[in-house]
């Protein structure tokens, strides 16, 4: 696992997408240095900063001071925290704020927050004036290693998660490793599920490294930065190969088809289930389903579950508080997934640790039978 080192304490991962190329900077104190980093890359000097009620009291002032010191005129919008903020109502609120601030195409919209704020703000930046400059300042582990990278933006629908959106690449991602010290244990664990995912997709050595070093990743320091940089590099490699998810990029959805269905089943109630927890359960289900289909060894599924359980993540549907709807309802949510093509189910399955692949035309009857078997009746 080799992350890209720079002369400073930061790590830099470059995402080479031609005219849409950008850097991901990872390291301590980046919020305090954000103004200079953004000013050195963008011409405009108006900024609309979008954040939420959890993040704003901790980091908004520091970001604004940095931006204003670099010559930016700033407007701010503080939204409610939580998955339900990814809605049409809040999308219009963000768009109105950006227009009210007279942000032009060379100016910048900045998302300061976790995946919800990043997805929502990126969507707004992609459609206001048919696209304005966009910078991600992710404040959760999950958003630093996953949602802030790659240009997927969007909101939720009553039909499912992230079904409405656009591809709009950021111009810069600033992953300040210091902000992770303020996360709750639950939030950090949820983000860690996405870190583990990269090992399970196609980097078995990285997964083995995490099994040996996860405690150091949780405690902070160089191992944490190493894990974030390796995760960002892994995602960047996939995005460059398949920016708009026509093939290989779908592998990044390992565990997500099951996980998104479980999130919908809990009505996106974060007290019951957050995204990374859904992914954790989903990755175990994906490995177990692969074993059921005689594609992989049951030992691999047990190994995945052991590691995720060891770090404190839920691994079973029965770990979700409250009652889940019947398996048929979960199946309906899966049938609405963005990875359905021509009405046929597409899953990310595996032939072993780090051997994931895109499986088209998975039999609905097999999935439903499997869900009934795993459902906590």
């Amino acid at each position: 696992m080799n992350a890209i080192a720079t002369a400073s304490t930061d790590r830099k991962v470059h995402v080479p997408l031609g005219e849409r190329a950008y850097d991901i900077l990872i390291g301590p104190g980046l919020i305090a240095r954000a103004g200079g980093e953004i000013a050195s890359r963008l011409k405009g000097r108006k900024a609309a900063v979008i954040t939420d009620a959890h993040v704003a009291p901790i980091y908004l002032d520091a970001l604004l001071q940095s931006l204003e010191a670099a010559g930016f005129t700033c407007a701010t919008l503080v939204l409610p925290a939580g998955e339900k903020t990814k809605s049409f109502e809040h999308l219009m609120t963000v768009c109105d704020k950006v227009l009210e601030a007279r942000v032009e195409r060379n100016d910048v919209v900045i998302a300061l927050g976790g995946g919800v704020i990043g997805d929502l703000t990126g969507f707004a930046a992609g459609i206001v004036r048919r696209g304005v400059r966009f910078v991600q300042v992710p404040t959760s582990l999950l958003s630093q290693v996953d949602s802030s990278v790659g240009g997927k933006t969007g909101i939720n629908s009553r039909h499912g998660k992230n079904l409405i959106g656009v591809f709009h690449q950021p111009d810069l991602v600033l992953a300040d490793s210091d902000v992770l010290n303020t996360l709750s244990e639950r939030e950090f664990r949820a983000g860690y599920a996405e870190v583990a995912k990269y090992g399970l997709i196609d980097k078995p050595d990285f997964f083995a490294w995490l099994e040996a070093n996860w405690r150091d990743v949780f405690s902070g320091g160089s191992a944490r930065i190493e894990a974030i940089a390796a995760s960002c590099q892994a995602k960047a490699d996939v995005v460059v190969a398949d920016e708009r998810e026509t093939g290989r990029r779908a592998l990044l959805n390992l565990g997500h088809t099951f996980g998104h269905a479980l999130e919908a089943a809990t009505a996106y109630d974060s007290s019951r289930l957050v995204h990374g927890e859904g992914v954790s359960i989903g990755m175990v289900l994906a490995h177990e389903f692969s074993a059921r289909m005689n594609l992989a060894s049951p030992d691999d599924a047990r190994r995945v579950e052991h590691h995720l359980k060891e770090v404190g993540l839920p691994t079973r549907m029965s770990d979700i508080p409250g009652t889940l709807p019947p398996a048929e309802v979960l199946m309906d949510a899966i049938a609405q997934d963005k990875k359905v093509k021509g009405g046929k189910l597409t899953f990310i399955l595996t032939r072993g640790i780090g051997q994931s692949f895109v499986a088209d035309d998975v039999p609905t009857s097999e999935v439903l039978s499997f869900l009934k078997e795993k459902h906590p009746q």
Side-chain angles (χ1 to χ4, degrees):
M1 183 187 59
N2 295 314
I4 299 174
T6 67
S8 69
T9 57
D10 295 341
R11 300 292 182 95
K12 181 169 75 172
V13 174
H14 184 65
V15 186
L17 287 170
E19 293 180 353
R20 298 178 312 287
Y22 57 94
D23 291 332
I24 307 162
L25 300 185
I26 306 143
L30 277 169
I31 287 179
R33 295 182 277 130
E37 295 290 352
I38 296 170
S40 68
R41 290 168 170 83
L42 303 182
K43 296 178 181 178
R45 286 298 177 268
K46 290 179 184 174
V49 180
I50 315 302
T51 187
D52 69 31
H54 285 172
V55 173
I58 311 172
Y59 299 115
L60 180 57
D61 285 348
L63 178 60
L64 292 177
Q65 287 175 16
S66 177
L67 290 167
E68 289 165 0
F72 286 93
T73 301
C74 301
T76 63
L77 175 64
V78 180
L79 296 172
E83 189 71 30
K84 293 181 180 180
T85 295
K86 284 170 62 170
S87 67
F88 269 117
E89 176 188 0
H90 289 106
L91 175 66
M92 286 305 304
T93 300
V94 176
C95 291
D96 284 343
K97 172 58 71 171
V98 173
L99 292 169
E100 178 187 296
R102 304 203 175 194
V103 169
E104 299 176 357
R105 285 184 176 177
N106 283 329
D107 296 317
V108 63
V109 175
I110 301 172
L112 173 67
V116 168
I117 290 296
D119 286 357
L120 173 66
T121 304
F123 189 10
I127 59 177
V128 169
R129 303 192 193 281
R130 296 186 177 89
V132 299
R133 300 288 192 174
F134 173 46
V135 170
Q136 289 265 25
V137 185
T139 59
S140 68
L141 178 60
L142 189 150
S143 58
Q144 288 189 1
V145 301
D146 184 56
S147 58
S148 68
V149 180
K152 275 189 179 181
T153 72
I155 58 175
N156 300 330
S157 158
R158 65 185 179 86
H159 296 289
K161 186 179 171 78
N162 297 332
L163 292 177
I164 304 163
V166 296
F167 287 93
H168 187 58
Q169 296 292 345
D171 292 88
L172 177 66
V173 179
L174 298 172
D176 189 330
S177 56
D178 285 343
V179 305
L180 303 181
N181 296 327
T182 63
L183 295 182
S184 68
E185 287 187 17
R186 185 187 182 199
E187 286 180 289
F188 192 90
R189 284 197 299 263
Y192 181 85
E194 296 282 3
V195 175
K197 178 190 75 176
Y198 293 111
L200 293 173
I201 290 172
D202 62 359
K203 291 179 169 51
D205 291 347
F206 181 41
F207 186 73
W209 183 87
L210 290 170
E211 288 177 306
N213 295 281
W214 70 267
R215 291 176 179 82
D216 292 334
V217 174
F218 274 65
S219 63
S222 60
R224 177 180 292 179
I225 293 175
E226 191 79 5
I228 295 169
S231 298
C232 289
Q233 185 67 65
K235 181 158 190 182
D237 290 345
V238 173
V239 168
V240 169
D242 179 21
E243 183 179 359
R244 292 183 173 262
E245 200 174 320
T246 59
R248 178 176 168 74
R249 183 167 177 171
L251 292 174
L252 295 171
N253 292 304
L254 175 64
H256 285 59
T257 301
F258 288 118
H260 283 170
L262 293 171
E263 286 185 87
T266 59
Y268 306 107
D269 181 351
S270 60
S271 68
R272 296 182 63 193
L273 189 75
V274 295
H275 176 66
E277 293 170 339
V279 170
S280 175
I281 298 170
M283 289 192 297
V284 173
L285 289 172
H287 281 79
E288 289 182 333
F289 186 67
S290 297
R292 178 191 177 98
M293 300 293 287
N294 295 316
L295 296 166
S297 167
D299 290 341
D300 292 318
R302 285 190 282 269
R303 181 179 166 192
V304 173
E305 180 173 20
H306 173 78
H307 179 59
L308 296 174
K309 185 179 289 186
E310 187 178 31
V311 306
L313 281 161
T315 58
R316 297 275 164 186
M317 285 193 270
S318 57
D319 293 335
I320 302 171
T323 303
L324 289 175
E328 289 81 1
V329 175
L330 295 177
M331 196 69 227
D332 286 343
I334 287 172
Q336 276 283 4
D337 192 89
K338 299 182 297 304
K339 293 171 285 301
V340 173
K341 295 180 180 179
K344 296 179 179 178
L345 297 180
T346 298
F347 276 82
I348 311 306
L349 300 180
T350 182
R351 297 185 178 90
I353 302 294
Q355 299 179 60
S356 297
F357 67 99
V358 180
D360 294 314
D361 200 12
V362 174
T364 301
S365 59
E366 288 286 353
V367 179
L368 181 57
S369 174
F370 174 72
L371 287 172
K372 287 180 176 179
E373 177 186 310
K374 298 297 179 181
H375 196 284
Q377 300 294 342

